[in-house]
Amino acid sequence: MSHHLFLLSPSDTPLYTLTHYSTKPAPSTTSPLSSNLPNWSTSAFAGTLTALSGASSATHHSSGGGVRMGGGQDRHVIQMIANASLDMIEDVMRKENTMYLKGVDKFNEWTVSAFITPGNMKFVLLHEGKNDEGIRQFFMEVWELYVKVSVVVVVWRGAEAELQTMLNPFHTAHTMIRSSTFDGRVRASAKRHL
């Protein structure tokens, strides 16, 4: 299964993206376009149905089983799905008074979940399958990491250097996140929860 995370500023500018391929086996699903058609009618058009559904035909094999991987063009489909879901996220955000919005939108095999911070940052996750508690914990950890988008400062105490992490006073809600530490910690959280 793959997961695609987008951190968006209050003005919906992308600040950080992550694609995570889980080692958990993907649930077997049929193409929604071919589900009502007899088997003999879909075999000749299997490539067309796959392309129309937004699914990828490439497969990444891991110890957990086969996992679909997006090609170069699929990245644009994923971005389109995330952008198209922003209106649904804002509608649900107005109706519900919660930070974690699970299953806000669905497009073929992709489910869109979101997390809205008090500063109106949007964390959008496209995922296959259902893992509500893991996704909620992942969003909470990413939020904590986002709050701590940090600068490492060296403090000298005598002859010894000490590294301290401080909240970054220069970070704004519209600044791209390019920290390798942030990226590594988000990836570790994704591996743990997704």
Side-chain angles (χ1 to χ4, degrees):
M1 280 190 297
S2 60
H3 301 85
H4 303 275
L5 174 69
F6 299 91
L7 270 61
L8 305 172
S9 73
S11 62
D12 296 336
T13 305
L15 304 179
Y16 176 81
T17 61
L18 170 74
T19 299
H20 170 73
Y21 297 104
S22 177
T23 56
K24 298 174 185 173
S28 61
T29 58
T30 59
S31 172
L33 295 174
S34 64
S35 60
N36 294 327
L37 301 174
N39 288 339
W40 60 266
S41 67
T42 59
S43 61
F45 304 105
T48 306
L49 289 171
T50 301
L52 288 174
S53 71
S56 170
S57 58
T59 302
H60 170 69
H61 295 284
S62 64
S63 60
V67 178
R68 280 198 323 276
M69 277 182 63
Q73 189 175 3
D74 287 345
R75 180 173 48 100
H76 300 294
V77 172
I78 297 298
Q79 290 173 349
M80 180 206 64
I81 296 168
N83 283 329
S85 68
L86 289 176
D87 290 334
M88 287 296 292
I89 290 170
E90 289 179 2
D91 288 344
V92 173
M93 192 172 76
R94 287 185 190 102
K95 293 175 187 170
E96 296 181 20
N97 194 20
T98 61
M99 295 173 72
Y100 172 49
L101 309 172
K102 63 180 175 182
V104 173
D105 200 5
K106 188 158 179 69
F107 180 82
N108 291 340
E109 75 271 9
W110 297 106
T111 302
V112 179
S113 294
F115 186 87
I116 312 300
T117 69
N120 205 25
M121 286 284 300
K122 296 174 191 79
F123 301 173
V124 179
L125 182 71
L126 274 69
H127 54 94
E128 303 165 293
K130 191 170 177 131
N131 179 11
D132 291 337
E133 186 58 26
I135 291 170
R136 188 188 66 74
Q137 289 175 349
F138 173 69
F139 275 143
M140 293 301 285
E141 284 189 20
V142 171
W143 181 33
E144 182 180 343
L145 291 170
Y146 173 75
V147 168
K148 294 177 181 177
V149 171
S150 60
V151 176
V152 176
V153 178
V154 178
V155 177
W156 289 94
R157 299 193 190 273
E160 215 174 298
E162 177 184 321
L163 295 177
Q164 288 185 346
T165 304
M166 299 171 41
L167 296 177
N168 186 350
F170 302 108
H171 181 78
T172 66
H174 302 284
T175 305
M176 291 284 296
I177 300 171
R178 300 183 198 280
S179 168
S180 59
T181 304
F182 177 83
D183 183 59
R185 290 179 181 171
V186 170
R187 288 179 188 278
S189 180
K191 189 174 185 179
R192 204 170 31 254
H193 297 293
L194 303 178

